[in-house]
Amino acid sequence: MAKKDIKGSQLGESLFSDRERMELWFAANWKKCVVLTFAVILAAGAAAAWHYFAQKNDAEFREKLGAAKVEEIAGIIAEKPEHPAVPAARLRLANGLLAKGDVKGAKAEFDNLAAAAKAAVALQECGKIGAANCLELLGETQEARKSYQVLADDAANSLPTRAEAGFHAARLLIAAGNNAEAEKMLQKIADLGSAADGAQDIYVNLCRNMLKNFANIKVK
């Protein structure tokens, strides 16, 4: 019988099965395998621990903000100004300051909220309309009117925000004796609310009612 020539590179394959070769490899490298296994376990444990503590700290910070008094909110915000819960807390702070009569302080917070790029759009809009309200309360009527008009004319804003801003802009235009511009603004808001979703908006209805009685409006 002719003998089969076996090359040196094939000698291992002819002498051992796959299982035997695996056992030989493990016998030679078991220490490395153990070290690698422990490294993977430690990494997974560290990741799990980090996730747990991150969630715990997040929940504690949210709870701390939610329970804080108005005068405490600013200090807590300073701890984590980029936290996702901060914009809503800032709105509460601004409204709280406004209720206490600190209009300038409230405006500063409304401005910060309006400029918060990571805040929800609805919260940003609250900041914008709030800042305009503060301008009016501070006696800066012309600047307030301009702010209201900008908000009302910006198609990127939601209907409720545009309607509220348009109503206030029209009101200040009438007070300034500019009835023609006021009527245009009221009509613009009334037209915005023609869709079913906007028909019940309180400021849309106010603008419509003002339009109906516009001839009877007198400038003091």
Side-chain angles (χ1 to χ4, degrees):
M1 181 183 291
K3 294 183 179 179
K4 183 179 180 181
D5 293 332
I6 300 176
K7 297 180 181 180
S9 60
Q10 298 175 324
L11 183 59
E13 296 179 8
S14 65
L15 293 177
F16 305 104
S17 66
D18 290 343
R19 179 179 178 180
E20 289 170 331
R21 285 197 299 275
M22 184 178 295
E23 290 174 348
L24 288 171
W25 181 89
F26 185 78
N29 297 278
W30 69 271
K31 289 184 179 180
K32 293 180 181 178
C33 290
V34 171
V35 171
L36 179 60
T37 300
F38 273 110
V40 171
I41 292 173
L42 288 173
W50 180 87
H51 183 69
Y52 169 77
F53 284 111
Q55 283 191 321
K56 185 173 182 293
N57 289 336
D58 179 80
E60 288 176 349
F61 186 75
R62 289 177 185 274
E63 184 177 354
K64 188 177 179 180
L65 267 179
K69 297 178 181 179
V70 172
E71 57 270 20
E72 299 171 336
I73 296 176
I76 298 173
I77 287 176
E79 296 175 14
K80 296 181 180 181
E82 299 301 318
H83 192 278
V86 163
R90 197 179 293 283
L91 177 60
R92 188 160 71 89
L93 172 58
N95 285 328
L97 291 171
L98 200 57
K100 290 176 179 289
D102 184 0
V103 182
K104 288 185 177 180
K107 184 180 181 303
E109 295 303 330
F110 280 128
D111 284 334
N112 286 333
L113 180 57
K118 295 182 180 180
V121 173
L123 289 174
Q124 291 177 347
E125 290 184 10
C126 284
K128 293 173 183 177
I129 199 77
N133 291 157
C134 288
L135 283 172
E136 185 175 356
L137 290 172
L138 290 168
E140 300 179 36
T141 308
Q142 188 172 353
E143 290 303 313
R145 176 178 54 75
K146 290 179 181 178
S147 295
Y148 288 137
Q149 286 181 291
V150 169
L151 289 172
D153 290 335
D154 190 349
N157 290 326
S158 65
L159 185 145
T161 294
R162 295 184 70 186
E164 180 178 356
F167 170 78
H168 292 311
R171 178 173 53 77
L172 293 182
L173 284 166
I174 292 171
N178 195 341
N179 280 22
E181 288 300 314
E183 189 172 14
K184 288 180 183 178
M185 178 59 73
L186 292 171
Q187 188 62 60
K188 178 185 293 185
I189 301 306
D191 291 342
L192 283 176
S194 60
D197 61 342
Q200 299 304 313
D201 184 272
I202 184 172
Y203 287 102
V204 170
N205 288 333
L206 285 172
C207 288
R208 287 173 175 171
N209 289 334
M210 287 182 71
L211 275 174
K212 291 177 182 179
N213 300 290
F214 200 81
N216 298 323
I217 293 176
K218 296 180 180 180
V219 180
K220 294 182 181 180

